[in-house]
Amino acid sequence: MRRPLERWSWRGIGRPRGHHVTVLTGFPNHPTGVVPLEYRGKLRRLVVREKVDGVDVVRSWLLPFPNRKAYERMLNYSSFCLSAASTGLFLPRPDVVIATSPQLLVALSGWWLALWKRVPFVFEVRDLWPESLAAVGMGDGNSMLHRGLAHLAGFLYRHADRVVVVTPAFEDYLVEHWHVPQEKIAVVENGVETNLFAPEAATAVRAEMRMEGKFVVSYIGTMGMAHGLGTDHRGCGAVAEYES
């Protein structure tokens, strides 16, 4: 089970090894809350099946809202949780259910489907909730939201057959603060599709951006409140002062 925005990373993992992968996701709408024209008619059908790069994709209904206000996000998250939890009941029984977070309600519906289908549940943690929310100022540790999400996260950590994290630091944190058994955790770091992204001469790009002869540092990733890009900015300033 993937978030509605998640890229089809399964295509390079499952198919070459002979696995059959079904992705249960939502309709495209992030971050504007606007469903693309080609999906609007399909949204009214509640559930639609399609094939993407050889992967079976099942899109389940949700309330499309822009990524703007907290209550709008909660309506979007909770509607997909309920929809996916019901849609998944009618899908063929898999060998394993893998659900990813953020956000936690996706993982909750994944746990429910794994329980119903009586198969192992793998909880993939790509960001720590509710800790990351508090880090960007969305409630503190004493808020009702934070406490509720903490209870949900603890429930998922306890009931997952396997917890997958993307960094060793996440593994250490879960062991120390959530008392997740270390043997239950697997670290699978982010990768890259080398057939799409590979080093090559950037002479034309350097010329276009007037960067010939300059040392260039690139940040390639999400730019959000939780990513601490101010550190990069301060680091560049410190390098400039050192060189001067």
Side-chain angles (χ1 to χ4, degrees), residues 4-175:
L5 186 63
E6 198 75 36
R7 177 120 169 92
W8 312 118
S9 58
W10 297 108
R11 68 185 181 188
I13 298 174
R15 285 193 300 153
R17 300 183 181 181
H19 301 310
H20 178 82
V21 178
T22 298
V23 177
L24 176 57
T25 186
F27 286 84
N29 72 103
H30 182 87
T32 62
V34 177
V35 176
L37 186 61
E38 63 268 27
Y39 281 103
R40 291 178 191 173
K42 298 176 181 179
L43 180 65
R44 301 187 189 98
R45 290 157 47 188
L46 304 184
V47 177
V48 66
R49 297 170 181 262
E50 56 187 8
K51 207 87 165 177
V52 179
D53 294 332
V55 175
D56 289 325
V57 178
V58 180
R59 296 190 181 276
S60 190
W61 178 88
L62 48 65
L63 284 171
F65 279 104
N67 187 28
R68 184 176 54 193
K69 299 178 181 179
Y71 81 89
E72 291 177 335
R73 286 194 295 270
M74 287 307 300
L75 287 172
N76 179 266
Y77 297 165
S78 57
S79 64
F80 177 69
C81 176
L82 295 173
S83 175
S86 59
T87 298
L89 297 178
F90 300 96
L91 297 180
R93 182 178 184 269
D95 294 307
V96 62
V97 171
I98 305 174
T100 188
S101 175
Q103 36 85 15
L104 290 173
L105 293 180
V106 169
L108 179 62
S109 56
W111 164 81
W112 160 251
L113 291 175
L115 179 69
W116 183 267
K117 303 284 187 179
R118 298 184 179 181
V119 297
F121 167 53
V122 176
F123 180 24
E124 183 194 32
V125 180
R126 304 193 66 82
D127 203 356
L128 295 173
W129 275 38
E131 292 86 350
S132 62
L133 298 181
V136 298
M138 292 184 60
D140 55 32
N142 295 319
S143 68
M144 184 179 298
L145 173 64
H146 191 283
R147 293 197 305 270
L149 290 175
H151 283 302
L152 178 54
F155 174 87
L156 293 168
Y157 293 141
R158 291 192 303 273
H159 288 82
D161 295 284
R162 195 78 164 175
V163 177
V164 177
V165 295
V166 293
T167 69
F170 279 13
E171 178 185 24
D172 295 340
Y173 185 88
L174 294 184
V175 171

Side-chain angles (χ1 to χ4, degrees), residues 4 21 54 57 89 113 122 157 180 187 189 196 200 209 217 221 225:
V21 178
V57 178
L89 297 178
L113 291 175
V122 176
Y157 293 141
V180 179
V187 179
E189 297 179 340
L196 293 178
E200 61 180 32
M209 303 187 71
V217 177
M225 296 173 63

